[in-house]
């Protein structure tokens, strides 16, 4: 297909197909890890989220939704983020699982007795090794993969899209478990916009 023939509709279909396939793989590969993530978030006294770049933006979306559920959630790096402590949960996303700041934060969390959940493309990465609580492996291309084998999209786009949707699915599962309805959540929605 000629590059000039690739329009928005074609690209949207490609993205939808890739996202659907990668999420189906995540569901089939390790449903136990997915259930464990839900349990860890529900049981944690406080949840902290951290990712770099677009992965970090994706986890910020998850943090907002978890706050809507009434959970105490903090985005690492914000000026009001407290110290992580024993039994807290750190949810991290890094496609490579080697991003130095993310790995250092996970090491700190483990050292203080907090639990770590990692979302990554590499089950053998340093980040995955630190996340003894649960690791969600997303079989997407890393940001340096230019082969087009795992994804036709640029850099880590498919991974980042998966992080957004895993976060939304996590919220939805916890919302269903909570017994709250939309009217219960709405008062926690920002009113300073």
């Amino acid at each position: 297909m000629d590059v000039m023939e690739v329009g928005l509709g074609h690209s949207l279909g490609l993205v939808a197909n890739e996202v659907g396939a990668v999420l189906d793989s995540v569901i089939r590969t390790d449903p136990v890890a997915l259930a464990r993530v839900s349990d860890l978030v529900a049981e944690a006294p406080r949840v902290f989220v951290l990712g770099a770049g677009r992965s970090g933006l994706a986890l910020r979306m998850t943090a907002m939704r978890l706050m809507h559920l009434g959970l105490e959630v903090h985005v690492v790096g914000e000026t009001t983020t407290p110290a992580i402590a024993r039994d807290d949960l750190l949810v991290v996303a890094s496609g490579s699982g080697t991003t130095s700041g993310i790995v250092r934060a996970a090491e700190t969390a483990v050292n203080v007795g907090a639990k770590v959940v990692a979302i990554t493309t590499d089950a053998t990465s340093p980040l995955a090794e630190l996340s003894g609580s649960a690791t969600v492996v997303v079989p997407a291309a890393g940001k340096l993969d230019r082969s087009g084998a795992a994804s036709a999209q640029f850099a880590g786009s498919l991974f980042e899209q998966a992080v957004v949707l895993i976060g939304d699915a996590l919220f939805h599962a916890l919302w269903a478990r909570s017994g709250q309805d939309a009217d219960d959540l709405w008062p926690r929605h920002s009113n300073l916009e």
Side-chain angles (χ1 to χ4, degrees), residues 23-163:
L23 292 178
D24 282 345
S25 180
V26 169
I27 293 165
R28 283 192 322 275
T29 302
D30 200 349
V32 173
L34 295 175
R36 181 79 178 125
V37 170
S38 295
D39 291 342
L40 287 164
V41 171
E43 296 164 3
R46 299 180 302 173
V47 177
F48 294 74
V49 301
L50 175 63
R54 287 170 40 116
S55 299
L57 292 172
L59 285 180
R60 285 173 176 259
M61 293 170 63
T62 301
M64 177 185 281
R65 286 294 186 237
L66 296 178
M67 176 274 298
H68 289 152
L69 280 174
L71 302 179
E72 184 176 344
V73 186
H74 301 281
V75 175
V76 176
E78 295 295 320
T79 57
T80 58
T81 302
I84 195 166
R86 175 170 294 287
D87 297 327
D88 286 337
L89 178 65
L90 175 64
V91 178
V92 290
S94 168
S96 68
T98 62
T99 307
S100 59
I102 309 299
V103 172
R104 275 193 314 274
E107 289 170 343
T108 298
V110 168
N111 288 338
V112 301
K115 296 175 178 80
V116 177
V117 165
I119 306 171
T120 183
T121 64
D122 186 352
T124 64
S125 67
L127 190 59
E129 291 175 12
L130 286 163
S131 67
S133 301
T135 302
V136 176
V137 179
V138 177
K143 66 183 172 189
L144 299 179
D145 182 350
R146 305 288 192 269
S147 71
S151 176
Q153 298 181 66
F154 178 71
S157 292
L158 180 57
F159 173 74
E160 295 143 0
Q161 292 155 358
V163 172

